[in-house]
Amino acid sequence: MPADLEALLRRLRLPHIRGLAPEVVATAKAQRWEPVEVLRALFTAEAAGRERSALATRRAAAGFPTGKTFQAWKPEISSIPAPTQQALRTLEWVHRRENLVVCGPSGTGKTFLLEALGQQGVEQGLKVAWFTLEGLGVLLRRHRADDTVTKAIARVLRADLVVVDDIGLLPVAQDAAEGLYRLVDAAYEKRSIAVSSNLHPASFDELMPKTLATATVDRLLHHAHVCQTSGDSVRLSQALSGQGVSPLN
């Protein structure tokens, strides 16, 4: 490709056209394409490339823990009713700025479900942010010194869906409790919050100061879908049956 044309494509920030242009031009000559076909092929490639880049950016920004998606999800194993699973997967609740609480024993698919929902949201063009309670505490401490906590929470809420995973596994530090309250309060009726917990939110006062727990749960549950999981740990069942590892040679 001529250097001046490549420079122009760089200037116009058309990297996908720049990469594909030599191949498209060669094919167009060999097959005698009409000019409009060449333009269509080049701009289709640019649009597709930008969509892939945007998806990768949203996925990286989300900070998902493992990369689990619905491709590996087995709906029949979950204790959540199938119609509820299907309704959640539409993500209409996110567009309505409603919340989701998934609570139940460890190993019953809570984190898996939330990550798969988040991944699906990212694939549909939504922005997602993933946190643990500890991560919220770190965020609060980092910005408390220069009094920028409110701005930090506002940046988090640029996401359409904010996930807070694994509430209830450990005692909640004061910073983390305050961080959860600030997040839920700022998101109230503006953004969707999804949480997973070993405890029902009604019992959050066992983990954090009662005043903060009451204020947090009040706002969290006002527009929320609550799904309770049950049964034995899927991870433990797989481990006991030898499915958790590859056989040693």
Side-chain angles (χ1 to χ4, degrees), residues 67-78:
K68 289 187 173 75
T69 69
F70 278 116
Q71 289 184 339
W73 175 256
K74 296 180 180 179
E76 69 278 4
I77 293 179
S78 175

Side-chain angles (χ1 to χ4, degrees), residues 28-155:
K29 286 182 178 179
Q31 298 183 6
R32 297 182 180 179
W33 285 5
E34 293 292 328
V36 69
E37 295 179 57
V38 178
L39 289 174
R40 183 180 293 112
L42 291 174
F43 283 107
T44 297
E46 184 65 31
R50 291 189 179 194
E51 289 173 3
R52 289 193 302 271
S53 297
L55 173 59
T57 299
R58 290 195 304 273
R59 183 167 285 138
F64 293 119
T66 63
K68 289 187 173 75
T69 69
F70 278 116
Q71 289 184 339
W73 175 256
K74 296 180 180 179
E76 69 278 4
I77 293 179
S78 175
S79 57
I80 298 174
T84 301
Q85 293 185 46
Q86 289 298 321
L88 291 175
R89 290 182 65 169
T90 67
L91 299 179
E92 291 179 5
W93 55 279
V94 177
H95 296 290
R96 293 194 298 263
R97 300 178 178 85
E98 296 168 349
N99 298 329
L100 173 63
V101 176
V102 184
C103 51
S106 180
T108 51
K110 303 185 299 297
T111 298
F112 194 149
L113 176 61
L114 291 190
E115 183 170 2
L117 288 170
Q119 294 274 9
Q120 184 163 310
V122 163
E123 291 168 4
Q124 293 183 11
L126 299 176
K127 294 180 180 178
V128 178
W130 186 281
F131 285 91
T132 61
L133 263 183
E134 182 181 11
L136 283 177
V138 171
L139 179 73
L140 200 75
R141 289 193 298 274
R142 185 187 306 139
H143 292 276
R144 194 193 298 280
D146 57 358
D147 199 27
T148 57
V149 173
T150 300
K151 291 181 179 179
I153 294 294
R155 283 195 294 272

